[in-house]
Amino acid sequence: GQMRQKLNFLMMLLFEQDMKEGEILPPTIQRLMKGYNKYLRPFFDNGPVTVGMSMDIASIDTISEINMDYTATIFLRQRWTDERLVFEGNKSLSLDGRLVELLWVPDTFIVDSKKSFLHDITVENRLIRIFPNGTVLYALRITTTVACNMDLTKYPMDKQTCTLQLESWGYNINDVMFYWTRGNESVSGLDSLQLAQYTVEDYYTSVSEAIYETGNYPRLVFHFELKRSILYFILETYVPSSLLVVLSWVSFWISLSSVPARICIGVTTVLTMTTLMMGARTSLPNANCFIKAIDVYLGICFSFIFGALIEYAVAHFCTLSHTDTHMLMYSHHLHDLDDEINGIVTTISSHAAAASRAKKRAKEQSPKPEPAPPEHTHWCITVLATIRKLLRSIKCCTVENPHHIDNYSRVTFPLSFVIVNLLYWTYYLFF
């Protein structure tokens, strides 16, 4: 009965449209009174048509820091009123989605979209519903890859704000106006969304205009803020690198004489840390222009590990220098004694008789002071002492006990690492 009349009326409109395809419409046409033409928007030349938007975010499949984009599947719903499709009745008509080719629909596109497609299994995922007052509901299921500019300086403690922007391609604000049907509640599905590395912290909608050389166009923007989950990176990178730093401190408790053991620990930790750094960098090859927070931490850990290796090199060198200094002073002392003995022997051999007579007279008479050693002996000793002081002042690593270097390192290295960690986490988490 009445439903059949509605369908016949709609089919007549669509048949007339098929018959008129190919006609070239004059640009001065203000409005078609008879028939339906999909090339003319509703309210043609009589004010803009308002299009309401709402979305369901079915899934966010991937978020790529390498390509700086995300891939999402959305259900996009658009509503507008077409006065040419008004019919009598109180029930809506749900039509086959393929009939949308015969109707006027908004030329909405996704800004910053790199690649998009409409699902077509088993048929194209479209929905057309017409209400008696001429309101048209048009729904699509789309998967799109959208660019998202990311600031990775605080990676992996970063928050990224991405957008999904809907805009009219050919109709400016004088022809079409966009609006969100229910404000911030126009977008649903994010609350129940499960992402691999992120959690959705906040989202909201806004309305703006896109300004181009050809005019101003309506634009709707959906903003959503993603916070990265840091637990994975703590277990994957931060904990291993920190344990490597602690492992490098073990060498401070090993004797300085155990050269193979300490060198083995130092070189092994340095190479392992280098492998960790290379693995962290290769995960984001195109984002290496950023000095990321994880790079800063790995650099800090590498510096401490390398410093522990250098500490042993310095301590071992000071041990050798300390031994050589003692041996040098001992040899100089023996040399001085030999010179003095040789001088005394020479003096005694040349003045043996005089010395014996003097000793006899000294015994018979009152005691007299002993004769002073020759002046050239004093001069040699003074020169040698001056040279030793000069060499001692020039040497960069001269300590009383080289083992004190390890004792100081056992305290300074852990304390410095704790202080640097406090500064690091305070800055990247709260600033």
Side-chain angles (χ1 to χ4, degrees):
Q2 187 177 5
M3 182 65 67
R4 185 180 297 275
Q5 291 179 359
K6 294 177 182 177
L7 290 175
N8 290 335
F9 170 74
L10 183 60
M11 293 304 296
M12 288 178 60
L13 292 178
L14 298 178
F15 178 76
E16 290 180 3
Q17 169 61 30
D18 288 338
M19 294 296 294
K20 291 184 179 181
E21 280 186 359
E23 291 184 1
I24 301 177
L25 299 177
T28 56
I29 292 181
Q30 296 182 356
R31 186 175 181 182
L32 288 176
M33 301 300 296
K34 293 182 180 181
Y36 186 93
N37 195 306
K38 66 179 181 180
Y39 300 108
L40 295 179
R41 65 174 178 83
F43 305 105
F44 183 79
D45 239 1
N46 192 23
V49 56
T50 57
V51 180
M53 301 276 189
S54 62
M55 286 191 303
D56 279 344
I57 307 295
S59 65
I60 297 181
D61 304 323
T62 58
I63 301 174
S64 174
E65 295 85 6
I66 298 176
N67 300 321
M68 289 199 176
D69 57 26
Y70 67 91
T71 301
T73 299
I74 62 174
F75 300 153
L76 176 61
R77 293 182 292 269
Q78 305 177 79
R79 294 175 180 267
W80 68 93
T81 300
D82 192 337
E83 79 283 2
R84 296 168 293 180
L85 298 178
V86 176
F87 62 90
E88 294 181 358
N90 54 7
K91 293 183 179 180
S92 61
L93 296 177
S94 296
L95 307 179
D96 191 291
R98 287 168 287 192
L99 294 178
V100 72
E101 301 294 340
L102 304 178
L103 299 177
W104 178 91
V105 294
D107 57 349
T108 307
F109 76 101
I110 300 175
V111 185
D112 297 330
S113 175
K114 296 181 178 180
K115 181 177 63 177
S116 302
F117 65 91
L118 176 68
H119 292 263
D120 56 0
I121 302 298
T122 57
V123 294
E124 289 187 344
N125 297 171
R126 295 180 175 180
L127 180 146
I128 287 289
R129 187 171 295 164
I130 302 176
F131 296 87
N133 62 351
T135 299
V136 181
L137 172 62
Y138 179 40
L140 300 168
R141 180 171 175 245
I142 304 172
T143 294
T144 179
T145 300
V146 185
C148 177
N149 294 326
M150 299 181 182
D151 182 7
L152 298 176
T153 52
K154 289 190 175 183
Y155 177 92
M157 283 87 72
D158 56 331
K159 295 181 181 180
Q160 305 298 339
T161 300
C162 297
T163 59
L164 181 63
Q165 305 180 56
L166 303 173
E167 187 179 313
S168 175
W169 175 255
Y171 294 105
N172 57 29
I173 58 176
N174 297 321
D175 298 320
V176 173
M177 296 294 295
F178 286 173
Y179 70 95
W180 294 106
T181 55
R182 298 185 302 275
N184 289 338
E185 297 180 357
S186 302
V187 181
S188 60
L190 280 178
D191 295 331
S192 59
L193 211 58
Q194 297 292 331
L195 301 178
Q197 289 188 12
Y198 293 90
T199 55
V200 181
E201 280 211 328
D202 189 22
Y203 60 91
Y204 59 94
T205 59
S206 64
V207 181
S208 63
E209 293 182 6
I211 302 175
Y212 300 103
E213 183 180 353
T214 55
N216 297 356
Y217 297 85
R219 174 182 291 181
L220 298 181
V221 185
F222 171 60
H223 311 259
F224 57 99
E225 187 178 272
L226 301 172
K227 182 180 180 181
R228 195 184 306 273
S229 301
I230 195 177
L231 180 61
Y232 167 79
F233 297 93
I234 290 178
L235 298 177
E236 187 75 13
T237 304
Y238 284 93
V239 170
S241 57
S242 300
L243 292 179
L244 281 175
V245 175
V246 175
L247 179 61
S248 67
W249 299 339
V250 174
S251 63
F252 300 151
W253 277 266
I254 300 177
S255 174
L256 286 173
S257 60
S258 302
V259 177
R262 297 194 63 163
I263 290 296
C264 180
I265 290 178
V267 174
T268 302
T269 51
V270 167
L271 293 178
T272 308
M273 194 67 217
T274 304
T275 304
L276 273 178
M277 295 175 68
M278 293 178 62
R281 289 178 180 176
T282 53
S283 63
L284 296 174
N286 295 337
N288 286 334
C289 55
F290 292 95
I291 300 178
K292 303 179 287 296
I294 195 170
D295 294 333
V296 174
Y297 192 82
L298 291 175
I300 292 172
C301 293
F302 183 82
S303 301
F304 273 90
I305 293 174
F306 189 75
L309 181 60
I310 296 300
E311 183 272 346
Y312 175 64
V314 172
H316 187 67
F317 176 76
C318 290
T319 303
L320 297 178
S321 300
H322 190 264
T323 305
D324 293 342
T325 302
H326 279 284
M327 293 298 296
L328 181 63
M329 293 177 63
Y330 182 69
S331 62
H332 281 312
H333 182 64
L334 291 179
H335 184 67
D336 293 342
L337 290 178
D338 290 341
D339 290 343
E340 292 178 5
I341 291 172
N342 292 334
I344 293 172
V345 170
T346 304
T347 304
I348 291 174
S349 61
S350 60
H351 304 285
S356 60
R357 288 194 297 269
K359 289 180 181 179
K360 290 180 180 180
R361 286 196 298 269
K363 289 180 181 179
E364 295 174 355
Q365 302 174 1
S366 59
K368 296 181 180 180
E370 297 181 356
E375 294 183 0
H376 72 277
T377 304
H378 285 287
W379 182 82
C380 291
I381 295 174
T382 305
V383 170
L384 289 175
T386 305
I387 293 175
R388 284 198 299 269
K389 291 180 181 179
L390 182 61
L391 291 175
R392 187 178 301 170
S393 62
I394 291 176
K395 286 185 181 295
C396 60
C397 183
T398 301
V399 293
E400 294 296 331
N401 188 355
H403 294 279
H404 289 169
I405 298 178
D406 277 349
N407 296 334
Y408 296 147
S409 299
R410 293 172 189 174
V411 177
T412 56
F413 270 75
L415 184 61
S416 302
F417 190 67
V418 170
I419 293 175
V420 170
N421 267 272
L422 290 176
L423 296 176
Y424 174 87
W425 292 105
T426 301
Y427 174 78
Y428 281 106
L429 289 180
F430 301 105
F431 292 98

